[in-house]
Amino acid sequence: MPLFDAGRRGDADREQVHDRLLTVPNAITAVRLAGLPLFSWLVLGPRRYGLAFVVLVVIAATDWIDGYVARRFDQVSRIGKLVDPLVDRLLLATASVTLLVAGLFPWPLLVLIVLRDVLLLGASLIWFGGVPPIPVSNLGKLATALLMIGIPGFLLAGIDWGGAAVVTVVAWLCTSAGIIAYYVAGARYGRAALAIRRARAD
């Protein structure tokens, strides 16, 4: 999907991966990570939901930006390919937990989101002692995109304004669809991991 691979130059199989740490995409990822405590504080402290929503949208948008910059300007790095998906997982977990504590997010959805990541991480640690070299699929990227639309939607729905009811419906639809895609992508990831494990055993 061009949307998820925007900025790619040439064949993905020939994409050069660098060992550099100090790159623009990695710096953007660091800024994303630093924005999470600010988001949580805005929601749970002064309860500035509108500003918190803007911060969360900016953090989520930079997920696409750092990937584009990395591919477009030949700055794809090993640390970036490892850390970026982990930051995505941390973003979703932090946003969900923060909104749950604020009374804006349903706990069953949080359980489903966190459970999938716990299961995959546990299996990876048991089978490989770490994260296996499996690229993130387009379905996984779609699941993350849907969740990054749906979860902030619950925050926007918590603001007293005329469109709150419509936003609530959109938030439920996007988050539910994202969770379904999340688990399907996770199952595919598990099958790929098993294939790698069996190949190594042979």
Side-chain angles (χ1 to χ4, degrees):
M1 294 184 181
L3 176 63
F4 297 128
D5 294 324
R8 188 178 302 284
R9 301 186 302 177
D11 191 347
D13 294 333
R14 299 179 182 177
E15 181 178 76
Q16 186 175 2
V17 180
H18 304 281
D19 291 322
R20 288 176 293 177
L21 175 62
L22 298 178
T23 65
V24 173
N26 289 346
I28 295 174
T29 298
V31 171
R32 291 173 59 209
L33 190 60
L36 292 178
L38 174 60
F39 164 76
S40 296
W41 176 76
L42 287 170
V43 173
L44 301 178
R47 294 184 179 274
R48 298 285 300 277
Y49 292 168
L51 184 56
F53 176 78
V54 172
V55 170
L56 189 57
V57 168
V58 171
I59 294 173
T62 54
D63 177 46
W64 183 88
I65 294 172
D66 64 6
Y68 173 84
V69 172
R71 290 183 292 268
R72 179 66 180 82
F73 299 100
D74 190 28
Q75 294 191 15
V76 177
S77 65
R78 299 186 193 282
I79 187 66
K81 289 176 74 71
L82 174 64
V83 171
D84 190 61
L86 295 179
V87 173
D88 288 344
R89 307 284 77 76
L90 183 60
L91 186 159
L92 294 175
T94 299
S96 300
V97 171
T98 299
L99 297 183
L100 176 69
V101 173
L104 301 173
F105 194 72
W107 68 264
L109 297 184
L110 172 63
V111 170
L112 289 172
I113 292 171
V114 174
L115 178 62
R116 182 267 195 182
D117 289 334
V118 170
L119 290 174
L120 283 184
L121 179 60
S124 296
L125 292 176
I126 292 172
W127 291 343
F128 300 95
V131 180
I134 302 174
V136 179
S137 67
N138 282 336
L139 181 60
K141 293 176 183 179
L142 175 62
T144 299
L146 286 169
L147 290 173
M148 285 187 178
I149 294 172
I151 294 174
F154 284 98
L155 175 59
L156 191 59
I159 302 174
D160 186 16
W161 66 296
V166 174
V167 172
T168 299
V169 174
V170 173
W172 271 100
L173 289 175
C174 287
T175 304
S176 299
I179 289 175
I180 293 171
Y182 210 37
Y183 273 85
V184 174
R188 293 180 179 179
Y189 182 92
R191 286 199 298 269
L194 278 174
I196 293 175
R197 188 166 181 261
R198 289 166 182 162
R200 290 180 178 179
D202 295 339

